[in-house]
Amino acid sequence: MFWRYFSFLISQVVGSLMGLYFDLAKIGMVSALVGAMLGAWVWFIFDFSRAARLMRWLRLGNTADVAMSGGFWGEVADRARRLTRAREQMTRDSQNQLQDFLSAFQASPNGVVLLDAEGQIEWCNQTAAAHFGLQAQRDLMQHFGNLVRDPRFASYFAAQDYRSSVLMPGRESTPTHPVQLSVQLNPYGEGRLLLLSRDVTVLEQAEAMRRDFVANVSHEIRTPLTVLSGFVETLQTLPLNEVDRERYLSLMAQQADRMQMLVNDLLTLSRLEGSPSPGAGEWVSMPEVMGQLEQDAHALSVVLNPSADRPHHMVFDALQDGAVSGATSELISAMSNLVTNAVRYTPAGGGIRVCWRGLADGRAEFSVSDTGPGIASEHLPRLTERFYRVDRSRSRDTGGTGLGLAIVKHVCQRHGAQLKIESTLGKGSTFSIIFPVERVQIGLDRR
Ligand code: ADP
């Protein structure tokens, strides 16, 4: 500022001296005054031109260019440049920060949508776009309620009580592949909303399975229990002769057996689910297993068809060697379940073929074929679900728990084996377990 006053003073002194020197007004004092005025004008014009340059530079806003240096306006330009650079740095920092936040939201496994006070979409991540069928650019500033019209969400949105979440189907949900979303709105800022969506399909399915399982177990146990308590009441209240007493007791024993079988199968399943997969240390001799299965199958066939002497035509077609590694009890239980099912579901007079053989690629196959009723193709994918039955009455009448194939599936999974089911309605079924190479030992010449 000092130089500004000083330069103005100098312009006055130089102007006055020049006024006197050139004798501008013929009178000494007046000449000096005119010279000083001219000096002031020159100073103002020079100063104004510098101010105008600074103004133009500020207007164009390119702080990288040097506008001017030195003097009052040079200092103003310098300060403006430093201020602008600091502001630009702050803006860059905030933009980087914003980008970091948006990248974090983008990486979130949950859907994130930012809504303004009018409920319009300000931003959404890819997960949310997939959940609701949005297009991040196209749907910007569209009202979210106009794009997502599920009635459950609409009433949740309208109620403005966002303490809990709402369940709704996802955009890609189909009857065969349902997608369940849990959506929650969280108010923030001035009337803005943060919408979070989570794919809870697996959780919902697990919960539905748990509910179904509890309902099924209760139902399976309630039936024999009701029959049992009915007989107990009869025995307690009615004077029965010895024959009736015996008959009732034997029926009670049947119901108790049924409950016991169910509990045993449930325990087997929970053991299979809760324990680590068996190692490859223990070898189960297949000829021995086949012998045991053959004996049991003949016995069961007679028990289930007491009027016929040899009701099923059974063939046990097996290699005379071979072993499978894993848990003996589990492997026997899985194979025995398949043979038992063939005996139970094949009417008297039918054929059953049990086969143990090595495959060309080194794997080995245990299969059970029957000429029974067969299973319609729509049931096949669900056969290994717990308590899934095609023929309810036949299953119950022959002592089925509805858990046999679920156990077989688990045993197969634990041994890295594959369960294959082929069936033609009215012709029969084939259930096969294919063991992987590393769990099989068969003499190479016999394959
Ligand atoms: P269950 O104790 O009822 O036999 P499973 O899990 O062993 O239970 O079998 C499930 C259902 O699959 C059975 O209820 C039956 O309807 C059907 N099934 C199983 N094996 C056969 C078979 N060999 N032939 C026809 N249907 C079968």
Side-chain angles (χ1 to χ4, degrees), residues 288-313:
E288 275 175 36
V289 173
M290 290 295 278
Q292 185 63 48
L293 291 178
E294 190 168 1
Q295 261 185 27
D296 293 351
H298 282 299
L300 183 65
S301 168
V302 172
V303 169
L304 290 179
N305 303 278
S307 48
D309 192 23
R310 206 178 166 83
H312 293 115
H313 177 66

Side-chain angles (χ1 to χ4, degrees), residues 138-213:
R138 184 199 62 191
D139 296 329
L140 224 58
M141 299 320 285
Q142 296 287 322
H143 196 279
F144 191 76
N146 290 344
L147 300 174
V148 178
R149 291 178 168 273
D150 181 81
R152 277 157 285 187
F153 177 76
S155 50
Y156 170 73
F157 200 12
Q160 301 201 341
D161 177 4
Y162 307 135
R163 281 171 300 178
S164 58
S165 56
V166 65
L167 278 180
M168 61 174 274
R171 178 67 172 216
E172 286 166 1
S173 188
T174 59
T176 46
H177 289 100
V179 177
Q180 274 289 333
L181 297 179
S182 162
V183 181
Q184 179 147 27
L185 286 163
N186 303 280
Y188 76 101
E190 284 177 16
R192 291 190 140 92
L193 291 169
L194 169 72
L195 181 146
L196 297 175
S197 60
R198 200 155 53 95
D199 188 337
V200 290
T201 314
V202 177
L203 284 176
E204 284 293 304
Q205 279 171 348
E207 179 57 18
M209 266 172 71
R210 193 192 62 78
R211 276 196 304 266
D212 285 355
F213 183 68

Side-chain angles (χ1 to χ4, degrees), residues 196-338:
L196 297 175
S197 60
R198 200 155 53 95
D199 188 337
V200 290
T201 314
V202 177
L203 284 176
E204 284 293 304
Q205 279 171 348
E207 179 57 18
M209 266 172 71
R210 193 192 62 78
R211 276 196 304 266
D212 285 355
F213 183 68
V214 172
N216 276 323
V217 171
S218 317
H219 178 77
E220 294 289 333
I221 288 183
R222 198 178 50 194
T223 314
L225 212 53
T226 312
V227 178
L228 254 179
S229 56
F231 283 139
V232 169
E233 207 178 304
T234 309
L235 284 171
Q236 280 173 334
T237 50
L238 290 180
L240 296 170
N241 60 36
E242 198 54 31
V243 180
D244 282 346
R245 244 176 73 89
E246 280 303 316
R247 197 162 57 86
Y248 280 12
L249 283 173
S250 120
L251 288 169
M252 287 167 76
Q254 259 178 34
Q255 297 303 324
D257 283 350
R258 195 172 144 188
M259 281 200 288
Q260 198 160 21
M261 270 192 306
L262 180 70
V263 171
N264 285 344
D265 276 359
L266 284 171
L267 286 174
T268 306
L269 257 184
S270 89
R271 241 194 338 266
L272 291 176
E273 284 173 345
S275 61
S277 286
E282 200 174 332
W283 288 94
V284 184
S285 156
M286 282 306 287
E288 275 175 36
V289 173
M290 290 295 278
Q292 185 63 48
L293 291 178
E294 190 168 1
Q295 261 185 27
D296 293 351
H298 282 299
L300 183 65
S301 168
V302 172
V303 169
L304 290 179
N305 303 278
S307 48
D309 192 23
R310 206 178 166 83
H312 293 115
H313 177 66
M314 287 192 218
V315 177
F316 278 74
D317 174 14
L319 291 173
Q320 287 313 301
D321 78 344
V324 175
S325 79
T328 312
S329 59
E330 290 181 25
L331 290 167
I332 293 178
S333 137
M335 295 183 214
S336 152
N337 257 310
L338 296 185

Side-chain angles (χ1 to χ4, degrees), residues 265 337-338 341-346 368 370 372-375 383-385 387-392 394-396 398-408 423 428-431:
D265 276 359
N337 257 310
L338 296 185
N341 277 356
V343 176
R344 286 168 50 220
Y345 292 104
T346 307
V368 183
D370 63 58
I375 303 158
L383 275 192
T384 55
E385 283 177 23
F387 299 111
Y388 190 84
R389 294 175 169 109
V390 183
D391 185 345
R392 272 178 188 280
R394 180 97 189 136
S395 164
R396 295 235 164 82
T398 54
T401 58
L403 297 172
L405 290 179
I407 291 175
V408 176
S423 191
S429 319
T430 300
F431 291 77

